[in-house]
Amino acid sequence: MKLPQHATGIGHQDRLLSDAEIRAVVLDALGQVDVAGRRVLLIIPDHTRTAPMGRLFRLIHEAWAKNAEKLDCLIALGTHPPMSDEMIYRRVEMTREEHQADFADVRFFNHLWKDPESLAEIGRLSASEIGEITDGLLQMDVSITVNRLIFDYDLLLIVGPVFPHEVVGFSGGNKYLFPGIAGQHIIDFFHWLGAVITNPVIIGNKQTPVRAVVDRAAAMLETPRLALSLVVKGEGLAGLYFGSPEDSWSLAADLSRKLHIVYKDRPYHTVLSCAPKMYDDIWTAGKCMYKLEPVVADGGTLIIHAPHVKEVSVTHGAVIEQVGYHTRDYFLKQWDKFKHHPWGVLAHCTHVKGIGTFENGIERPRVNVILATQIPKEVCDRINLGYLDPAAIDPADYANREAEGILYVPKAGETLYRLKNAPPELGGKP
């Protein structure tokens, strides 16, 4: 199959793409690819990523469905819970009736990351390769497993947004494959590597050791790969790029860096970080900490305000309650005690707690993280996070008080906040 050699697309810093521009980019781009008689699998994000998936799905279907032998969708869940039919329909902005009437040829699949029968090993990264990629930080063999469904298709089309990301630097591109449709071994390794480097050092940087692992794993796939990489602004698109996952992602990340990073002159002693409803547990709402950690002052407080959240994690809650939320060094300096737990869960726990120290048995997190959710105080105490009654918080009390050292973020989780002159440990240049 002949694939485009160069990424194409458009993006703007000062406005959104019009419907006509989006349509032209998608139809012109997909028109370059002959899918006649081919089986095509779309790989799309779940509900925890803002993106106009319905509009894009319809354009892709219009461009390819008549000629492709098959056009289906696999949801890149990573370790998130499977989506119900109704959740999937909301994700692609259609009704069950529309599916049956207009898109009956399309099937939707959830990625099953923990089901061995649904996975296949495509190769391994050796300890020496990992050592080279991470500059000696980690050295171990890593099994690369992926959803075996992809072997039933002739072309993979990744469709998803690009944002600053706590583990890989910027989301998108091959990240929708690894960890999006990968098995637990590579998922755990990928997340723990990011945690060891730390969120503030990784987030908002294009070239990271974790991105190198992701791209190296993706190169092992024999199935041809393309991507529509999106740059979302509000509910619309500011950028849309098509090409290889590597090239289209790179263009999207360049625009995301300009649109999704806000620089502040000073740190804040209090941050109210409000979680949108697309984050339905702390596993996903933790992004409200990740994207704001760099602008919280030493000893300051970050409140994750999410009155709709009832659970720590639908999938990983039991493990989190065993280990608790702690700094990286708390785990690293007691590694024999914690290394048998899933590394992806440990990584999440360090990212939510933030950076800090662990010396002589005493842990000192840099910031105080408080949950204002429906999770009871006794659970917050058990998992080593603070508690506030969400009903006692009026977000308006926090608004327009930056001069007092209080920052209010009404929709947190996708925009990264940084200090203009940050020290290296908070993402500044060494």
Side-chain angles (χ1 to χ4, degrees):
M1 177 182 293
K2 187 177 180 181
L3 301 180
Q5 296 300 304
H6 303 286
T8 58
I10 53 176
H12 302 286
Q13 288 182 244
D14 57 350
R15 69 174 179 86
L16 297 178
L17 305 185
S18 67
D19 287 344
E21 286 176 310
I22 294 170
R23 180 178 179 82
V25 169
V26 174
L27 296 185
D28 289 351
L30 300 191
Q32 302 174 44
V33 184
D34 182 8
V35 297
R38 307 282 187 176
R39 300 162 298 171
V40 181
L41 183 64
L42 309 184
I43 298 175
I44 66 174
D46 68 4
H47 64 293
T48 63
R49 305 292 189 272
T50 301
M53 295 306 302
R55 186 187 313 176
L56 293 167
F57 170 79
R58 281 166 169 75
L59 288 172
I60 295 166
H61 191 270
E62 177 183 338
W64 279 354
K66 290 181 181 177
N67 294 324
E69 178 183 327
K70 189 185 294 185
L71 181 66
D72 295 325
C73 289
L74 174 60
I75 300 167
L77 292 168
T79 63
H80 295 175
M83 296 177 72
S84 67
D85 288 350
E86 292 308 314
M87 293 172 72
I88 292 171
Y89 289 141
R90 285 197 297 272
R91 170 77 284 190
V92 295
E93 301 169 63
M94 73 169 67
T95 64
R96 184 182 299 272
E97 291 71 27
E98 285 178 310
H99 186 199
Q100 294 170 348
D102 302 326
F103 307 104
D105 52 331
V106 178
R107 296 175 298 170
F108 295 94
F109 302 97
N110 280 301
H111 172 56
L112 303 176
W113 63 281
K114 214 167 184 179
D115 176 14
E117 297 301 315
S118 74
L119 302 169
E121 185 178 84
I122 58 170
R124 301 183 73 86
L125 288 172
S126 68
S128 61
E129 288 178 287
I130 292 296
E132 173 195 343
I133 292 170
T134 66
D135 197 24
L137 193 61
L138 294 177
Q139 287 189 313
M140 57 183 290
D141 289 334
V142 180
S143 171
I144 310 299
T145 53
V146 70
N147 193 311
R148 65 170 66 249
L149 186 68
I150 67 170
F151 303 130
D152 295 336
Y153 295 84
D154 305 302
L155 176 66
L156 307 179
L157 177 65
I158 299 166
V159 186
V162 175
F163 291 106
H165 192 273
E166 62 277 2
V167 175
V168 68
F170 280 91
S171 64
N174 287 321
K175 185 181 176 296
Y176 284 102
L177 304 175
F178 302 97
I181 61 168
Q184 185 168 3
H185 193 191
I186 180 61
I187 290 175
D188 280 347
F189 173 80
F190 162 100
H191 282 91
W192 186 240
L193 173 58
V196 171
I197 298 172
T198 73
N199 162 53
V201 173
I202 285 276
I203 197 166
N205 293 309
K206 277 180 69 176
Q207 303 306 326
T208 67
V210 189
R211 174 59 64 175
V213 170
V214 168
D215 287 345
R216 191 79 64 94
M220 295 181 179
L221 290 174
E222 295 183 1
T223 309
R225 298 168 287 120
L226 290 170
L228 278 167
S229 296
L230 324 176
V231 183
V232 175
K233 186 176 182 181
E235 298 300 320
L237 289 180
L240 179 58
Y241 302 95
F242 176 76
S244 71
E246 296 84 1
D247 292 344
S248 63
W249 166 83
S250 181
L251 292 174
D254 287 340
L255 182 57
S256 176
R257 178 189 286 134
K258 296 170 183 175
L259 293 180
H260 298 146
I261 303 179
V262 173
Y263 287 91
K264 294 293 187 178
D265 291 317
R266 52 168 291 178
Y268 300 88
H269 64 74
T270 302
V271 175
L272 185 69
S273 183
C274 299
K277 290 190 177 179
M278 67 179 178
Y279 301 144
D280 43 23
D281 59 8
I282 298 303
W283 184 265
T284 50
K287 290 182 182 293
C288 299
M289 165 61 173
Y290 314 155
K291 302 293 170 67
L292 283 149
E293 180 181 3
V295 297
V296 184
D298 289 353
T301 296
L302 181 136
I303 303 164
I304 298 178
H305 186 233
H308 61 282
V309 167
K310 301 177 182 179
E311 297 190 63
V312 176
S313 172
V314 175
T315 306
H316 308 286
V319 178
I320 293 171
E321 289 210 26
Q322 287 181 47
V323 302
Y325 285 95
H326 294 283
T327 61
R328 175 200 66 180
D329 289 2
Y330 180 91
F331 292 120
L332 282 180
K333 292 186 177 182
Q334 304 177 89
W335 191 235
D336 285 343
K337 179 179 176 181
F338 292 105
K339 65 183 179 183
H340 303 296
H341 292 287
W343 291 7
V345 176
L346 299 182
H348 161 80
C349 291
T350 72
H351 285 136
V352 172
K353 193 68 175 178
I355 61 174
T357 61
F358 183 72
E359 298 289 347
N360 301 316
I362 299 173
E363 183 178 29
R364 290 188 174 88
R366 193 183 71 84
V367 304
N368 180 32
V369 180
I370 294 176
L371 301 185
T373 69
Q374 294 188 49
I375 298 169
K377 183 180 186 302
E378 58 268 25
V379 176
C380 292
D381 291 343
R382 192 156 60 241
I383 60 178
N384 198 35
L385 294 177
Y387 168 84
L388 275 176
D389 180 356
I393 292 177
D394 181 354
D397 292 340
Y398 294 79
N400 304 312
R401 297 179 64 185
E402 291 192 32
E404 301 173 53
I406 298 171
L407 177 64
Y408 166 58
V409 182
K411 184 189 175 185
E414 292 182 335
T415 298
L416 169 62
Y417 288 73
R418 272 182 174 166
L419 295 176
K420 287 182 180 177
N421 297 301
E425 66 271 17
L426 292 180
K429 292 182 179 180

